[in-house]
Amino acid sequence: MAETASGAIEENDPNPSWFTPKRLLAIFCVINMLNYIDRGVIASNGVNGSLGTCTEGDTCTGGSGIQGDFNLNYFQDGLLSSAFMVGLLIASPVFAALAKIHNPFRLIGVGLSVWTFATAGCGCSFGFWSILLFRMLVGIGEASFISLAAPFIDDNAPPDRKTAWLSVFYMCIPTGIAIGYVYGGLVGSLVNWRVAFWSEACLMLPFAVFGFVTRPIKMKGFGSFNNLDKLSGAVKTNNTDVEDIQLLDDTNKLLNEGNESESEITGRHAEVNAKNHILWGRIETVRQQLNVLLNDLKILLLDKVYLTNVLGYIAYNFVIGAYSYWGPKAGYAIYNMTDADLVFGAITIICGIFGTIGGGLFLDYIGSTISNAFKLLSGATLLGGAFCFCAFISKKLYGFIPLFAVGELLIFATQGPVNYIALHCVEPSLRPLAMAMCTVSIHIFGDVPSSPLVGVLQDYVNNWRETALILTSILFLSGAIWLIGVFIRSIDKSGDDKTATDTSLHGSRETPLLDAEVLV
């Protein structure tokens, strides 16, 4: 296939292979959609269900869904929706580090296999602790994908449409969650909540298999995965030592055929020494890998552009997370919405799709640079925050809905640009770790604590309008942080491929990524 200046593949080649960049994007979008459908399913009332109830006349009705079947209190039920975060936050940096010594495309296959097993396990769970464990495993499986998929998309997207492609990928987040709500409710009410998880596993299984059977794709910034001299040298050396010890052992046996006890002693010593050498070799390899990870983390923490982007994203995600959890309740309390869930759900999915894609297209139109991305992030967030703030000031529902919809449309326009900066402000070999740490940060400091903290605020002020206005004000903080990024000197490092490649195995760095002959 013909290649572009960026190393991606042009699709006008007369004999293109089936595995083209657009099809790669489509596959990754479906996988991302399934990940977020699962999040919608676990939050769906049709899956979570309700506890059994008893009347004063001792007439009892059985519970439904997970909560009813396992007799969970609300605290336990709430843990299920966030348990995947534990696996996600722990495994994301691990998969990013492993990408330096294993083919990233294969790691996605490993992660999707874990995800498939875990979701099937959710359907087979027999109690609270079993399903809690499987929800954590779901997060581990998802970690490899969220860390590595975006760099692959960025590598293979056309140079003038990189942000648009990223936006299409991240559009699957609100869409997937909304579909998950509906899907989980229908399956939970018509069949059984277990079927919802089994169906997810069946849908993901072909993609997990695909990650292993297809020829792995090379990611920019990563070279040969067979020539890991720095990381595996100790093991190789120790393996040689083991062979020497085994040879010495065999020689001793020949020389001491008549002295069985001495031969046995020598053999035992050789075996112990061999095991010790292997053990210390593996410990040394792990130590060196850990040093590489810590050094990479230090580089990210000292990168002003990366830090500014992530800090703004944390404040942004704090608001979005609280909106998704408390929005319907606030809407019902302020405007007496009878169908608050449907109203907020419809606004989120419509604005999520058009806002996300629109933001990516607009950045590509004005020029995909880090500085322009910061300008778009700041402008869209400040303006969107203003519309949302005015929406909650409005006394009437017919004034709230259009103002809030416009605000959400502008707010969601940030999804493509914010991830574009995360990918392009670091060297290619750091992109998986940059995406992983960005995800970890926005969850730990953003949407995870926002819901309980907003709950505490509401308990204190006891006024949903005031609470919503205070929460929305944080969007102005997010926009101000991103505005600082406009004035920070930024360099697009996406082309700085400093990782040595073994041309005897892979060819030059300019080889089209989807045509590269990459070994595991």
Side-chain angles (χ1 to χ4, degrees):
M1 303 185 78
E3 63 177 291
T4 65
S6 66
I9 298 174
E10 293 182 346
E11 306 227 13
N12 57 0
D13 190 86
N15 297 304
S17 66
W18 181 89
F19 201 22
T20 61
K22 285 185 178 178
R23 287 175 179 145
L24 175 71
L25 175 63
I27 290 171
F28 279 179
C29 283
V30 173
I31 294 172
N32 203 31
M33 186 84 72
L34 287 173
N35 280 327
Y36 283 91
I37 285 175
D38 176 72
R39 297 195 193 182
V41 164
I42 195 64
S44 167
N45 288 329
V47 172
N48 268 346
S50 59
L51 288 169
T53 58
C54 293
T55 64
E56 293 181 357
D58 293 332
T59 301
C60 296
T61 57
S64 63
I66 297 173
Q67 188 178 24
D69 285 2
F70 297 153
N71 195 30
L72 306 180
N73 58 41
Y74 285 103
F75 174 73
Q76 292 173 319
D77 194 24
L79 284 179
L80 294 184
S81 64
S82 57
F84 83 97
M85 286 285 186
V86 176
L88 183 71
L89 301 181
I90 293 174
S92 292
V94 173
F95 276 110
L98 288 175
K100 293 209 167 191
I101 58 175
H102 297 287
N103 185 277
F105 197 75
R106 289 289 188 249
L107 290 177
I108 290 178
V110 172
L112 296 183
S113 299
V114 174
W115 192 95
T116 303
F117 168 78
T119 49
C122 289
C124 299
S125 55
F126 50 83
F128 170 70
W129 290 107
S130 62
I131 194 170
L132 186 70
L133 174 62
F134 283 122
R135 293 309 300 170
M136 292 180 185
L137 289 176
V138 167
I140 292 176
E142 186 179 329
S144 70
F145 183 74
I146 64 167
S147 302
L148 303 171
F152 275 122
I153 293 173
D154 187 68
D155 282 346
N156 292 284
D160 59 341
R161 283 181 286 169
K162 286 185 179 293
T163 318
W165 280 40
L166 287 172
S167 297
V168 170
F169 177 72
Y170 287 104
M171 175 203 69
C172 298
I173 295 177
T175 308
I177 292 176
I179 293 174
Y181 283 146
V182 178
Y183 164 73
L186 289 175
V187 175
S189 59
L190 296 178
V191 191
N192 187 281
W193 62 268
R194 297 180 185 273
V195 176
F197 292 112
W198 291 335
S199 300
E200 288 177 20
C202 291
L203 290 172
M204 185 67 84
L205 182 60
F207 297 103
V209 174
F210 177 80
F212 288 105
V213 300
T214 191
R215 185 176 62 186
I217 306 171
K218 178 182 177 294
M219 183 184 291
K220 183 166 43 172
F222 295 85
S224 169
F225 299 97
N226 287 343
N227 293 334
L228 304 172
D229 298 330
K230 291 184 178 180
L231 294 178
S232 61
V235 174
K236 292 179 180 179
T237 301
N238 289 327
N239 286 341
T240 302
D241 292 341
V242 171
E243 293 175 358
D244 292 341
I245 292 170
Q246 291 174 340
L247 179 61
L248 178 61
D249 183 29
D250 294 338
T251 304
N252 286 335
K253 286 182 179 180
L254 291 173
L255 296 175
N256 297 286
E257 289 180 350
N259 191 343
E260 191 68 22
S261 60
E262 183 178 349
S263 176
E264 290 176 355
I265 293 173
T266 303
R268 283 198 300 272
H269 286 171
E271 183 178 355
V272 170
N273 288 335
K275 290 180 178 179
N276 286 338
H277 276 72
I278 293 175
L279 175 62
W280 285 109
R282 289 174 178 170
I283 292 175
E284 177 64 17
T285 301
V286 172
R287 187 188 68 80
Q288 292 186 24
Q289 292 175 0
L290 183 59
N291 286 339
V292 170
L293 175 60
L294 293 176
N295 184 63
D296 289 346
L297 285 173
K298 182 179 178 181
I299 294 174
L300 290 181
L301 290 175
L302 294 176
D303 192 312
K304 295 178 181 178
V305 175
Y306 180 79
L307 279 181
T308 302
N309 188 50
V310 172
L311 287 174
Y313 203 6
I314 288 172
Y316 166 92
N317 218 51
F318 187 96
V319 178
I320 296 300
Y323 272 176
S324 65
Y325 190 81
W326 292 115
K329 186 176 288 294
Y332 177 80
I334 299 172
Y335 300 104
N336 196 26
M337 291 184 192
T338 54
D339 297 315
D341 288 340
L342 293 178
V343 172
F344 275 85
I347 292 175
T348 299
I349 189 170
I350 294 173
C351 296
I353 292 174
F354 289 101
T356 303
I357 295 179
L361 290 173
F362 185 74
L363 180 58
D364 286 336
Y365 175 76
I366 64 176
S368 297
T369 65
I370 293 176
S371 178
N372 283 345
F374 271 125
K375 291 175 185 176
L376 178 56
L377 288 175
S378 178
T381 305
L382 291 173
L383 190 57
F387 272 97
C388 290
F389 195 87
C390 292
F392 284 109
I393 291 177
S394 175
K395 302 294 184 181
K396 302 295 183 180
L397 180 60
Y398 59 77
F400 168 82
I401 291 179
L403 287 170
F404 190 72
V406 174
E408 287 267 279
L409 192 71
L410 290 166
I411 289 171
F412 277 110
T414 60
Q415 289 299 304
V418 73
N419 287 285
Y420 176 88
I421 295 174
L423 288 168
H424 285 252
C425 72
V426 298
E427 296 174 3
S429 61
L430 287 176
R431 289 181 306 169
L433 184 61
M435 297 303 296
M437 295 312 300
C438 182
T439 302
V440 168
S441 300
I442 64 174
H443 288 314
I444 288 181
F445 304 109
D447 56 0
V448 169
S450 67
S451 295
L453 287 177
V454 170
V456 171
L457 175 63
Q458 170 60 18
D459 288 337
Y460 179 74
V461 302
N462 195 29
N463 185 310
W464 273 112
R465 190 186 300 275
E466 290 184 19
T467 299
L469 290 172
I470 293 172
L471 173 65
T472 303
S473 299
I474 300 177
L475 285 174
F476 300 129
L477 173 62
S478 174
I481 294 173
W482 278 329
L483 182 61
I484 295 173
V486 176
F487 301 99
I488 298 176
R489 183 174 178 271
S490 58
I491 301 174
D492 191 326
K493 302 177 183 177
S494 61
D496 296 342
D497 191 350
K498 295 183 179 180
T499 303
T501 53
D502 184 356
T503 56
S504 65
L505 290 175
H506 302 290
S508 67
R509 282 186 322 203
E510 287 73 27
T511 303
L513 301 183
L514 289 180
D515 282 349
E517 206 176 298
V518 183
L519 304 179
V520 181

